[in-house]
Amino acid sequence: MIGRLNHVAIAVPDLMAASAHYRDGLGATVGPVQVLAEHGVRVAFIDVANTRIELLEALDQTSPIASFMARNPGGGMHHMCFEVPDLDAAMRRLVDAGARVLGDGTPKIGAHGRPVVFLHPKDFDGTLIELEQV
Amino acid sequence: MIGRLNHVAIAVPDLMAASAHYRDGLGATVGPVQVLAEHGVRVAFIDVANTRIELLEALDQTSPIASFMARNPGGGMHHMCFEVPDLDAAMRRLVDAGARVLGDGTPKIGAHGRPVVFLHPKDFDGTLIELEQV
């Protein structure tokens, strides 16, 4: 069911500093900063050969990642996002398997303009998983 | 410099249960369990279209992931591994940029039989990064 790993998201305390770590230390090409006000974050994407790394910085204390940053002030791996061809079918399978979709259980429009859901980390061994319909 | 994302590693408390979560909930194909005694872990790989997810379970309390599991008893995202063509050149660049290689600074032979190093998470915004020469 799950397809490509669309991205791995890294929550960071300082997006400019994090971009420099990947650019200077790892020779990565870091894209421009995008402010996603409706998602409460500033982001920069790193294209690697087969997927993307999404660096995320909270815009303020109301950001969806603010509680993660309070627990992990130095930053950390926040979630991974898999592509699925049919989000409704994916959700039915997940619910049948006993997994929970976060929020009210209906897809939202994600940072890339496509329908997304997030799955409860307790149902996936402490990992926050995003599914994006592609 | 960095090439493909070779894998994302997820540390889990129970490899069989975690495998079932990905198989039953997400329709993923989970490979056979491999015991890597010299690395202190049991692993199972999930092939997705463009990369792999590595599920890791500690063999015992001396495992390199034991302290992570003590801090995260439910499991969590543990590291991500990028491929590099020349590990020595990568390490020189990293040291020049002020980043630290864990251990004694020399490559070890990793779980896939290739030279690897791990970078200090404090130099990469709380994320443990593995580099594998491919």
Side-chain angles (χ1 to χ4, degrees), chain A residues 38-122:
Chain A
E38 71 276 31
H39 294 283
V41 290
R42 300 199 302 155
V43 304
F45 283 98
I46 298 166
D47 279 309
V48 295
N50 56 336
T51 187
R52 295 189 298 173
I53 310 301
E54 182 182 32
L55 302 177
L56 293 173
E57 181 193 307
L59 282 180
D60 58 35
Q61 289 304 314
T62 67
S63 172
I65 68 167
S67 63
F68 179 90
M69 292 309 299
R71 290 194 306 278
N72 304 278
M77 298 178 80
H78 185 264
H79 69 267
M80 54 183 181
C81 174
F82 294 104
E83 299 177 358
V84 294
D86 181 337
L87 196 51
D88 287 333
M91 288 167 60
R92 283 195 299 275
R93 180 182 182 127
L94 283 156
V95 170
D96 285 349
R100 290 163 285 178
V101 174
L102 292 182
D104 64 6
T106 60
K108 301 286 182 293
I109 297 303
H112 316 126
R114 299 182 185 130
V116 302
V117 292
F118 284 88
L119 308 180
H120 201 305
K122 291 204 172 165

Side-chain angles (χ1 to χ4, degrees), chain B residues 4-134:
Chain B
R4 296 179 71 256
L5 179 71
N6 184 279
H7 62 268
V8 179
I10 312 291
V12 303
D14 180 332
L15 187 58
M16 292 298 95
S19 297
H21 298 154
Y22 282 82
R23 187 181 59 236
D24 301 340
L26 292 173
T29 302
V30 183
V33 173
Q34 304 170 53
V35 176
L36 303 177
E38 71 276 31
H39 295 283
V41 291
R42 300 199 302 157
V43 305
F45 283 98
I46 299 166
D47 279 308
V48 296
N50 56 336
T51 188
R52 295 189 298 173
I53 309 302
E54 182 181 32
L55 302 176
L56 293 173
E57 181 193 306
L59 282 180
D60 57 36
Q61 289 304 312
T62 68
S63 172
I65 68 168
S67 63
F68 179 90
M69 292 308 299
R71 290 193 306 277
N72 304 278
M77 299 176 81
H78 185 265
H79 69 265
M80 55 182 179
C81 174
F82 295 103
E83 300 176 359
V84 295
D86 181 336
L87 196 51
D88 287 333
M91 287 166 60
R92 283 195 299 275
R93 181 183 181 125
L94 282 156
V95 170
D96 285 349
R100 290 163 287 179
V101 174
L102 292 182
D104 64 6
T106 61
K108 301 285 183 294
I109 297 303
H112 315 126
R114 298 184 187 130
V116 302
V117 293
F118 284 88
L119 309 180
H120 201 305
K122 290 204 171 163
D123 297 332
F124 286 93
D125 316 288
T127 296
L128 179 60
I129 293 179
E130 181 181 14
L131 298 180
E132 179 172 310
Q133 183 166 295
V134 172

